[in-house]
Amino acid sequence: MSAVIDVALFTEVFVTLFVIMDPPGTVPVFLALTSRMTPRQRNRAARQAIVVAFGVIVVFAAFGQQLLTYMGISLPALQASGGLLLLFVALELLTGKAESPEPAKGGAVNVALVPLGTPLLAGPGAIVATMVFVQRGLTQGESLVSHWVAIALAVIAVHVCVYLAMRFANVIQRLLKESGVTLVTRIAGLLLAAIAVQMVATAVTEFVRAA
């Protein structure tokens, strides 16, 4: 009888998603996107972003392949669109446009949905990786239950790590002060732009290979 959880698979999924979602790396971007929010609004945005990211990954894990096939969308197309969206956000952070307006009513929800929840956290990389692990499990026979349990626990564990990183971003902001947060915002914009360009470049490469 198979074990309740496949420890090796749990470790593989956790490490893979941890590297892709990068909880420590989300802190500067999170601070940049929520720099005009109060600590309470920032905590709320962190919770909502985690719920959105988790929901998106679960939906794509369960129905992603069927959904993309039905709509005629390829994985490179999904990756390119996510990269372009992140590039737009990165340009706003670099030019300071993201800091100028005061948060509107419900603004925290918007930040949590896009770009924080998706495509920053639940981006093409995390979605595709989860879909690959799930597809692998469809051929596992009697170990299917332990396979799903391992994937589910790993996804939850990574999201907990991401939430803790964002939850304690308030402490980091108090240490950095306003000028420090502005500097972090510019650096985050640069890093986010690099991530976006890499996502688009990878998508273009995949398009060329498939041609």
Side-chain angles (χ1 to χ4, degrees), residues 27-146:
V27 173
V29 179
F30 178 71
L31 283 175
L33 293 173
T34 61
S35 60
R36 306 287 291 183
M37 295 181 184
T38 64
R40 184 174 181 179
Q41 288 175 321
R42 185 178 290 115
N43 291 339
R44 184 185 178 196
R47 291 193 300 270
Q48 292 172 332
I50 289 299
V51 172
V52 169
F54 183 77
V56 169
I57 288 180
V58 168
V59 168
F60 272 93
F63 311 107
Q65 192 59 57
Q66 296 89 332
L67 179 62
L68 294 181
T69 301
Y70 175 77
M71 299 183 68
I73 301 174
S74 65
L75 293 178
L78 180 67
Q79 189 168 22
S81 62
L84 291 175
L85 180 57
L86 283 183
L87 183 59
F88 177 76
V89 175
L91 292 175
E92 286 195 332
L93 293 178
L94 285 170
T95 58
K97 290 182 179 179
E99 304 165 13
S100 52
E102 293 289 339
K105 184 177 180 180
V109 177
N110 293 332
V111 171
L113 291 174
V114 178
L116 199 52
T118 181
L120 187 58
L121 296 180
I127 290 173
V128 171
T130 306
M131 288 172 58
V132 169
F133 284 121
V134 170
Q135 289 299 318
R136 185 197 301 176
L138 296 179
T139 59
Q140 293 297 310
E142 59 179 294
S143 63
L144 183 60
V145 173
S146 63

Side-chain angles (χ1 to χ4, degrees), residues 161-183:
C161 292
V162 176
Y163 172 73
L164 291 177
M166 294 190 296
R167 177 64 179 81
F168 291 102
N170 288 327
V171 178
I172 299 175
Q173 187 192 38
R174 285 197 294 268
L175 295 175
L176 294 177
K177 308 296 184 183
E178 185 175 350
S179 58
V181 171
T182 301
L183 176 62

